[in-house]
Amino acid sequence: MATYSFLDEMKSDFLEIINEKSSSAVDDLSIDYGASLESLLLKYMALCQSRAALLSGAKSVNDELAM
């Protein structure tokens, strides 16, 4: 079952608009167009969440080195 991802749709729309406006074909703008932006966002949000938890734990025991 395919899921709707507004980030992936935005990525496709952006590339389509750039190609319409550009005099030469553009197929890469330093974005991995084969990857799901939604899954990358979720991955990095989970990483950020885990780092925030580590920071909070270090702060609660006043571990300045870890902070």
Side-chain angles (χ1 to χ4, degrees):
M1 178 175 140
T3 59
Y4 171 76
S5 170
F6 78 93
L7 291 172
D8 289 328
E9 184 175 333
M10 182 179 67
K11 172 181 65 177
S12 296
D13 290 343
F14 184 69
L15 187 58
E16 186 178 323
I17 291 166
I18 290 294
N19 279 321
E20 287 174 3
K21 304 293 181 190
S22 178
S23 61
S24 60
V26 175
D27 62 354
D28 184 23
L29 297 173
S30 299
I31 296 174
D32 184 356
Y33 287 93
S36 167
L37 292 181
E38 186 174 10
S39 65
L40 290 173
L41 176 64
L42 292 174
K43 172 186 167 185
Y44 287 111
M45 287 299 296
L47 182 60
C48 184
Q49 230 175 354
S50 71
R51 297 305 181 246
L54 288 174
L55 176 63
S56 179
K59 184 177 178 245
S60 70
V61 295
N62 200 30
D63 185 350
E64 291 188 15
L65 181 60
M67 287 189 285

